[in-house]
Amino acid sequence: MISLGVGFGIPKAVVLTAAARSLGIPARLGFSDVKNHLQSPKLAERMGTDVFAFHGYSELYVHGTWRKATPAFNAEPCERFGVPPLSFDGSADALLHPFAADGSAYMQYIRDRGVYADLPLGAILEVFAAAYPRFGTGEATADDPAFSA
């Protein structure tokens, strides 16, 4: 999906974690369930929910502390949603903003799924099958245009 210019938080977190490790920075994968209050109606309809299970982020060990960094959105979707892009300098966590620039609710972390040295693919697929029953049925797929709308 990334080669197509689209992707979502899990593969982006995998890439960030691998890149950090390649530079000698200890890194691991972290996951949370998040509620996206600014999700498009089209995507909400396709997913059947506004909860994104296993939202991926990376934890990087910087200056003796584990710091969270979310690589989910680049500048274009941030501009569209009216939120500033995340900035990570290693001095604080860089998680998705709870509010948009206009004060409306944006992203809400609702469940911590822990941190992992490697991708817990089996657990992710199990949760996805329960949370998104329409996926895998031909009704909706991860490369559906609703994900980029």
Side-chain angles (χ1 to χ4, degrees):
M1 286 186 352
I2 293 174
S3 66
L4 299 174
V6 298
F8 61 105
I10 294 172
K12 290 178 181 182
V14 168
V15 169
L16 176 58
T17 299
R21 289 175 178 173
S22 77
L23 296 172
I25 300 168
R28 56 193 183 189
L29 296 165
F31 299 96
S32 294
D33 293 354
V34 296
K35 184 174 187 167
N36 184 345
H37 295 277
L38 298 179
Q39 178 185 18
S40 74
K42 185 176 181 180
L43 182 56
E45 179 183 339
R46 294 271 167 84
M47 289 180 58
T49 182
D50 60 357
V51 174
F52 291 75
F54 270 92
H55 158 70
Y57 60 88
S58 298
E59 281 195 344
L60 294 89
Y61 195 70
V62 181
H63 304 299
T65 303
W66 286 102
R67 297 288 184 196
K68 297 175 182 176
T70 302
F73 297 123
N74 60 13
E76 188 273 327
C78 288
E79 184 178 313
R80 186 174 22 158
F81 291 131
V83 296
L86 292 173
S87 176
F88 181 74
D89 65 5
S91 67
D93 292 339
L95 295 173
L96 296 171
H97 304 288
F99 300 100
D102 65 3
S104 61
Y106 171 46
M107 199 66 68
Q108 179 182 1
Y109 285 80
I110 58 175
R111 179 178 180 178
D112 181 7
R113 292 205 178 255
V115 293
Y116 301 81
D118 296 306
L119 182 68
L121 184 59
I124 292 169
L125 293 175
E126 186 177 305
V127 169
F128 277 18
Y132 313 116
R134 292 176 55 198
F135 283 87
T137 65
E139 291 184 51
T141 62
D143 61 351
D144 190 302
F147 280 92
S148 60

